[in-house]
């Protein structure tokens, strides 16, 4: 059994959906569970619906929702080449449910309504793809993942109930593969024990696929993307990036920790725990080798890996009375950061000072500084960039930071971090 995940970009047009069909047809006879996210930028548009609804701008919300409906219906009609098909009844049900939500007066927290509205993107995309696949002979079964993935009610970032979900997977999903080779499920969503829809956090479909792979004991998971594979840096920021043919789970976790937007960070654990390799492949050219992420990857040839965090702020805290910044003071400082939910990317301390690097979030920083100011002198420096280089080589850091001012620097044998202006 394999698990595949297709994201929004692979489904943003008729040609691309047809292309996904061709990819599936190139795996004849294989059992594949396919996880699909919303088409193109649908999730962003639905977020817009949710915001307008909650701000009581119901007409604007309804208008955006209507546009999403029309777009999906037109695309489905063209893709299937018909105006009548059970698919359209199914789509209509999803729209009607969303319209009901918009008709309610918002009395529950925003996150609840967000999930009821935004989850629609995945329901629409999977229904359309499933109907199309059946039409072109890719016989498949459509699953409503909300009947399978059971979570708590932490809306917008729900936590999976692993035991209950595993039991449902064993009972309902595994037997389906006696009758079908292909099953199609939504990424990103689930439901509570009260059957209220939840989402698992933005970009959560990679994670959904990893959960399925873990629970189905899949031989591998493949994420189909519009790039060649994992690269050693973001090609939108760095020149001369190279593809990484193989890499370990732990290296990918480190990359994500330092801020690389490669794969949803929660994806790795379910796969690593069962030693299921993760493949990153290009849907535009399935014959490219892509990247394989596995425990025993050969990392001797790994190129230096770059991660750049932009728009960083350095906060420096000094004691007022020249007292040393000792463990108890550092603990107090950390508590303040924790209280304000501010994540520290890099820290350094001296005799009477403590400096750290954080994202520039003006509202949070204002509150944070207020709290720190009670006991400390605080200065801050904005407009900075934090460059992390894993597996750096001599001369490389100098070359990358030439002509720039370095405000903070930290190195271990494998990782260098430089804060530059
Ligand atoms: N559609 C959701 C999002 O855009 C989930 C995903 O794409 O993984 O965040
Ligand atoms: Mg997406």
């Amino acid at each position: 059994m394999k698990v595949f995940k297709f994201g929004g970009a692979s489904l943003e047009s008729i040609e691309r959906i047809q292309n996904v069909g061709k990819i599936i047809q190139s795996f004849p006879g294989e059992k594949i569970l396919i996880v699909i996210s919303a088409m193109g930028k649908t999730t962003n548009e639905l977020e817009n619906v949710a915001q307008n609804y909650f701000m009581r701008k119901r007409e604007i919300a309804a208008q955006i929702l209507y546009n999403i409906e029309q777009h999906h219906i037109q695309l489905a009609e063209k893709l299937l080449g018909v105006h009548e098909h059970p698919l359209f009844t199914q789509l209509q049900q999803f729209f009607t449910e969303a319209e009901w939500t918009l008709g309610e007066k918002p009395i529950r927290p925003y996150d609840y309504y967000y999930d009821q509205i935004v989850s629609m993107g995945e329901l629409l995309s999977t229904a359309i793809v499933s109907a199309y696949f059946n039409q072109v002979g890719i016989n498949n079964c459509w699953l409503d993942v909300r009947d399978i993935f059971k979570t708590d009610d932490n809306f917008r970032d729900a936590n999976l109930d692993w035991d209950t979900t595993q039991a449902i997977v064993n009972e309902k999903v595994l037997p389906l593969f006696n009758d079908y080779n292909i099953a199609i499920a939504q990424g990103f969503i689930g439901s509570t024990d009260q059957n209220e829809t939840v989402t698992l956090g933005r970009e959560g479909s990679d994670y959904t696929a990893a959960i399925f792979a873990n629970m189905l004991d899949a031989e591998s998971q493949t994420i189909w993307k519009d790039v060649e594979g994992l690269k050693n840096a973001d090609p939108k920021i760095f020149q001369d990036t190279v593809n990484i043919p193989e890499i370990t789970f732990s290296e990918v976790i480190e990359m994500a920790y330092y801020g690389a937007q490669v794969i949803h960070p929660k994806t790795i654990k379910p796969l690593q725990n069962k030693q299921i390799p993760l493949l990153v492949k290009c849907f535009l050219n399935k014959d490219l080798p892509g990247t394989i992420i596995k425990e025993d990857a050969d990392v001797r040839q790994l190129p230096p890996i770059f991660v750049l965090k932009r728009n960083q702020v350095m906060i420096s805290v000094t004691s007022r009375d020249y007292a040393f910044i000792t463990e108890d003071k550092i603990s107090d400082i950390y508590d303040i950061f924790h209280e304000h939910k501010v994540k520290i990317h890099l820290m350094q301390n001296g005799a009477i000072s403590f400096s750290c690097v954080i994202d520039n979030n003006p509202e949070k920083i204002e509150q944070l500084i207020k709290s720190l100011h009670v006991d400390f002198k605080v200065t801050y420096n904005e407009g900075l960039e934090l460059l992390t280089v894993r597996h750096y080589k001599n001369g490389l850091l100098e070359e990358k930071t030439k002509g720039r001012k370095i405000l903070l620097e930290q190195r271990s044998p494998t990782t260098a971090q430089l804060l530059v202006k």
Side-chain angles (χ1 to χ4, degrees), residues 5-9 37-38 40-41 43 122 202-205:
K5 180 259 176 171
F6 289 95
S37 38
K41 299 271 172 264
T43 304
E122 271 69 12
R202 283 302 307 260
E203 303 303 329
S205 299

Side-chain angles (χ1 to χ4, degrees), residues 158-172:
N159 301 294
L160 192 74
D161 177 341
W162 283 83
D163 292 341
T164 308
T165 303
Q166 177 77 66
I168 301 174
V169 166
N170 294 348
E171 188 195 331
K172 291 193 184 159

Side-chain angles (χ1 to χ4, degrees), residues 36 41 46 58 70 75-76 116 123-124 130 158 175 179 241 273 275 296 326 349 365 379 392 394:
I36 286 181
K41 299 271 172 264
L46 287 165
R58 199 169 293 165
Q70 289 308 306
L75 181 136
Q116 308 319 302
L123 293 166
L124 299 173
S130 170
D179 300 323
T241 56
N273 288 176
Q275 294 297 318
D296 56 353
T326 45
N349 65 298
I365 290 179
T379 55
Y392 60 90
N394 280 342

Side-chain angles (χ1 to χ4, degrees), residues 11 17-18 21 25 34 36 39 72-73 75-82 84-91 94 122-143 180 182-186:
L11 306 161
I17 298 172
Q18 290 165 336
Q25 280 165 333
I34 306 175
I36 286 181
M39 290 175 179
H72 281 83
I73 290 174
L75 181 136
E77 284 178 346
K78 278 200 203 138
L79 188 65
L80 299 182
V82 292
E84 275 182 42
H85 190 282
L87 168 67
F88 297 107
T89 319
Q90 193 186 8
L91 297 182
F94 299 139
E122 271 69 12
L123 293 166
L124 299 173
S125 65
T126 49
I128 294 173
V129 171
S130 170
Y132 168 68
F133 276 13
N134 276 326
Q135 196 196 46
V136 296
I138 307 170
N139 198 11
N140 72 90
C141 154
W142 179 86
L143 302 173
Y180 292 93
I182 309 287
I184 297 181
Q186 306 74 36

